[in-house]
Short mmCIF file of all heavy atoms in Angstrom, two decimals:
data_model
loop_
_atom_site.label_atom_id
_atom_site.label_comp_id
_atom_site.label_asym_id
_atom_site.label_seq_id
_atom_site.Cartn_x
_atom_site.Cartn_y
_atom_site.Cartn_z
N LYS A 17 32.73 -62.91 59.62
CA LYS A 17 33.64 -62.38 58.58
C LYS A 17 34.30 -63.53 57.80
O LYS A 17 34.87 -63.29 56.73
CB LYS A 17 34.67 -61.49 59.24
CG LYS A 17 34.08 -60.26 59.79
CD LYS A 17 35.17 -59.39 60.41
CE LYS A 17 34.31 -58.17 61.05
NZ LYS A 17 35.00 -57.00 61.19
N LYS A 18 34.07 -64.71 58.24
CA LYS A 18 34.64 -65.95 57.62
C LYS A 18 33.84 -66.25 56.38
O LYS A 18 32.66 -65.94 56.30
CB LYS A 18 34.69 -67.16 58.53
CG LYS A 18 35.67 -66.98 59.64
CD LYS A 18 35.75 -68.30 60.46
CE LYS A 18 36.84 -68.24 61.48
NZ LYS A 18 36.95 -69.54 62.16
N GLU A 19 34.47 -66.98 55.42
CA GLU A 19 33.71 -67.47 54.31
C GLU A 19 32.75 -68.59 54.72
O GLU A 19 33.11 -69.34 55.65
CB GLU A 19 34.72 -68.12 53.24
CG GLU A 19 35.24 -66.97 52.36
CD GLU A 19 35.69 -67.54 51.03
OE1 GLU A 19 35.08 -68.46 50.43
OE2 GLU A 19 36.77 -67.07 50.60
N ILE A 20 31.68 -68.62 54.07
CA ILE A 20 30.66 -69.66 54.33
C ILE A 20 31.10 -70.95 53.56
O ILE A 20 31.41 -70.87 52.38
CB ILE A 20 29.29 -69.27 53.93
CG1 ILE A 20 28.86 -68.05 54.76
CG2 ILE A 20 28.31 -70.33 54.05
CD1 ILE A 20 27.55 -67.48 54.38
N VAL A 21 31.13 -72.01 54.31
CA VAL A 21 31.56 -73.38 53.72
C VAL A 21 30.57 -73.80 52.64
O VAL A 21 29.38 -73.55 52.68
CB VAL A 21 31.68 -74.44 54.76
CG1 VAL A 21 30.38 -74.73 55.39
CG2 VAL A 21 32.36 -75.62 54.32
N ASP A 22 31.12 -74.45 51.59
CA ASP A 22 30.33 -75.07 50.50
C ASP A 22 29.96 -76.45 51.01
O ASP A 22 30.75 -77.34 51.05
CB ASP A 22 31.14 -75.11 49.19
CG ASP A 22 30.33 -75.82 48.10
OD1 ASP A 22 29.26 -76.30 48.31
OD2 ASP A 22 30.94 -75.83 46.96
N THR A 23 28.70 -76.62 51.45
CA THR A 23 28.27 -77.86 52.05
C THR A 23 28.20 -78.98 51.05
O THR A 23 27.91 -80.14 51.45
CB THR A 23 26.93 -77.62 52.84
OG1 THR A 23 25.93 -77.18 51.89
CG2 THR A 23 27.09 -76.77 54.03
N THR A 24 28.28 -78.69 49.79
CA THR A 24 28.27 -79.79 48.80
C THR A 24 29.59 -80.52 48.79
O THR A 24 29.68 -81.67 48.32
CB THR A 24 27.91 -79.30 47.37
OG1 THR A 24 28.92 -78.37 46.93
CG2 THR A 24 26.55 -78.73 47.39
N THR A 25 30.64 -79.84 49.26
CA THR A 25 32.01 -80.50 49.28
C THR A 25 32.63 -80.53 50.59
O THR A 25 33.63 -81.20 50.78
CB THR A 25 32.94 -79.68 48.30
OG1 THR A 25 33.00 -78.31 48.71
CG2 THR A 25 32.40 -79.70 46.87
N SER A 26 32.13 -79.82 51.61
CA SER A 26 32.76 -79.73 52.96
C SER A 26 31.70 -79.84 54.04
O SER A 26 30.50 -79.52 53.83
CB SER A 26 33.48 -78.37 53.09
OG SER A 26 34.47 -78.15 52.09
N SER A 27 32.13 -80.17 55.21
CA SER A 27 31.23 -80.28 56.38
C SER A 27 31.75 -79.25 57.39
O SER A 27 32.92 -79.12 57.65
CB SER A 27 31.32 -81.65 56.98
OG SER A 27 30.90 -82.67 56.09
N GLU A 28 30.82 -78.49 57.95
CA GLU A 28 31.17 -77.57 58.98
C GLU A 28 30.86 -78.14 60.35
O GLU A 28 31.55 -77.79 61.34
CB GLU A 28 30.48 -76.24 58.77
CG GLU A 28 29.07 -76.09 59.28
CD GLU A 28 27.91 -76.68 58.37
OE1 GLU A 28 28.22 -77.65 57.66
OE2 GLU A 28 26.82 -76.09 58.37
N VAL A 29 29.94 -79.07 60.45
CA VAL A 29 29.50 -79.63 61.76
C VAL A 29 28.62 -80.80 61.46
O VAL A 29 27.97 -80.86 60.43
CB VAL A 29 28.92 -78.53 62.65
CG1 VAL A 29 27.52 -78.11 62.00
CG2 VAL A 29 28.74 -79.03 64.06
N ILE A 30 28.51 -81.77 62.33
CA ILE A 30 27.47 -82.75 62.34
C ILE A 30 26.59 -82.54 63.58
O ILE A 30 27.06 -82.59 64.68
CB ILE A 30 27.98 -84.20 62.31
CG1 ILE A 30 28.92 -84.40 61.11
CG2 ILE A 30 26.79 -85.19 62.41
CD1 ILE A 30 29.58 -85.82 61.09
N LEU A 31 25.35 -82.25 63.36
CA LEU A 31 24.43 -82.00 64.49
C LEU A 31 23.66 -83.31 64.78
O LEU A 31 23.19 -83.95 63.89
CB LEU A 31 23.42 -80.87 64.08
CG LEU A 31 24.11 -79.58 63.59
CD1 LEU A 31 23.18 -78.81 62.81
CD2 LEU A 31 24.50 -78.77 64.83
N CYS A 32 23.61 -83.60 66.02
CA CYS A 32 22.89 -84.84 66.45
C CYS A 32 21.91 -84.55 67.50
O CYS A 32 22.14 -83.82 68.48
CB CYS A 32 23.97 -85.82 67.04
SG CYS A 32 23.33 -87.39 67.44
N PHE A 33 20.73 -85.05 67.25
CA PHE A 33 19.66 -84.84 68.30
C PHE A 33 19.05 -86.33 68.58
O PHE A 33 19.16 -87.23 67.80
CB PHE A 33 18.61 -83.87 67.85
CG PHE A 33 17.86 -84.21 66.60
CD1 PHE A 33 16.69 -84.95 66.64
CD2 PHE A 33 18.23 -83.76 65.37
CE1 PHE A 33 15.98 -85.25 65.53
CE2 PHE A 33 17.52 -84.02 64.22
CZ PHE A 33 16.34 -84.74 64.26
N SER A 34 18.39 -86.41 69.81
CA SER A 34 17.99 -87.65 70.25
C SER A 34 16.55 -87.89 69.87
O SER A 34 15.73 -86.97 69.62
CB SER A 34 18.07 -87.70 71.82
OG SER A 34 17.25 -86.75 72.36
N ALA A 35 16.23 -89.20 69.83
CA ALA A 35 14.86 -89.67 69.43
C ALA A 35 14.38 -90.48 70.63
O ALA A 35 15.23 -90.91 71.41
CB ALA A 35 14.83 -90.49 68.19
N GLU A 36 13.14 -90.72 70.70
CA GLU A 36 12.50 -91.54 71.76
C GLU A 36 12.57 -93.05 71.60
O GLU A 36 12.37 -93.80 72.51
CB GLU A 36 11.07 -91.05 72.07
CG GLU A 36 11.00 -89.61 72.48
CD GLU A 36 9.54 -89.18 72.63
OE1 GLU A 36 8.61 -89.99 72.51
OE2 GLU A 36 9.38 -87.96 72.88
N SER A 37 12.83 -93.42 70.33
CA SER A 37 12.94 -94.85 70.03
C SER A 37 13.69 -95.11 68.73
O SER A 37 13.91 -94.16 67.99
CB SER A 37 11.51 -95.50 69.90
OG SER A 37 10.86 -94.86 68.77
N ARG A 38 14.01 -96.34 68.47
CA ARG A 38 14.59 -96.66 67.18
C ARG A 38 13.66 -96.39 66.03
O ARG A 38 14.04 -95.91 64.97
CB ARG A 38 15.02 -98.22 67.22
CG ARG A 38 16.16 -98.55 68.04
CD ARG A 38 16.27 -100.06 68.19
NE ARG A 38 17.40 -100.36 69.09
CZ ARG A 38 18.60 -100.78 68.71
NH1 ARG A 38 18.90 -100.90 67.43
NH2 ARG A 38 19.53 -101.06 69.57
N ASN A 39 12.40 -96.75 66.28
CA ASN A 39 11.41 -96.51 65.22
C ASN A 39 11.28 -95.00 64.86
O ASN A 39 11.17 -94.58 63.76
CB ASN A 39 9.94 -97.00 65.69
CG ASN A 39 9.95 -98.48 65.58
OD1 ASN A 39 10.75 -99.14 64.92
ND2 ASN A 39 9.03 -99.04 66.30
N GLN A 40 11.42 -94.13 65.92
CA GLN A 40 11.30 -92.67 65.67
C GLN A 40 12.56 -92.23 64.87
O GLN A 40 12.45 -91.32 63.95
CB GLN A 40 11.24 -91.90 66.91
CG GLN A 40 10.91 -90.39 66.70
CD GLN A 40 10.78 -89.61 67.98
OE1 GLN A 40 11.59 -89.77 68.91
NE2 GLN A 40 9.78 -88.78 68.00
N VAL A 41 13.73 -92.84 65.16
CA VAL A 41 14.95 -92.50 64.33
C VAL A 41 14.64 -92.74 62.85
O VAL A 41 14.83 -91.90 62.02
CB VAL A 41 16.14 -93.28 64.82
CG1 VAL A 41 17.31 -93.15 63.82
CG2 VAL A 41 16.60 -92.93 66.22
N ASP A 42 14.16 -94.00 62.65
CA ASP A 42 13.85 -94.41 61.24
C ASP A 42 12.78 -93.44 60.55
O ASP A 42 12.86 -93.04 59.44
CB ASP A 42 13.35 -95.83 61.16
CG ASP A 42 14.49 -96.84 61.44
OD1 ASP A 42 15.67 -96.46 61.47
OD2 ASP A 42 14.18 -98.01 61.77
#
């Protein structure tokens, strides 16, 4: 029932996931 955030001006969350190597991150 909440308003949806405008992601062009606000952040609702930062999602982080893991990679197997530095090269995979890049």
Side-chain angles (χ1 to χ4, degrees):
K17 293 180 185 203
K18 290 185 174 185
E19 274 204 41
I20 296 176
V21 67
D22 178 354
T23 56
T24 62
T25 59
S26 302
S27 298
E28 83 278 32
V29 67
I30 299 174
L31 303 158
C32 183
F33 61 90
S34 61
E36 295 176 6
S37 67
R38 290 171 182 258
N39 287 341
Q40 189 179 44
V41 170
D42 292 343

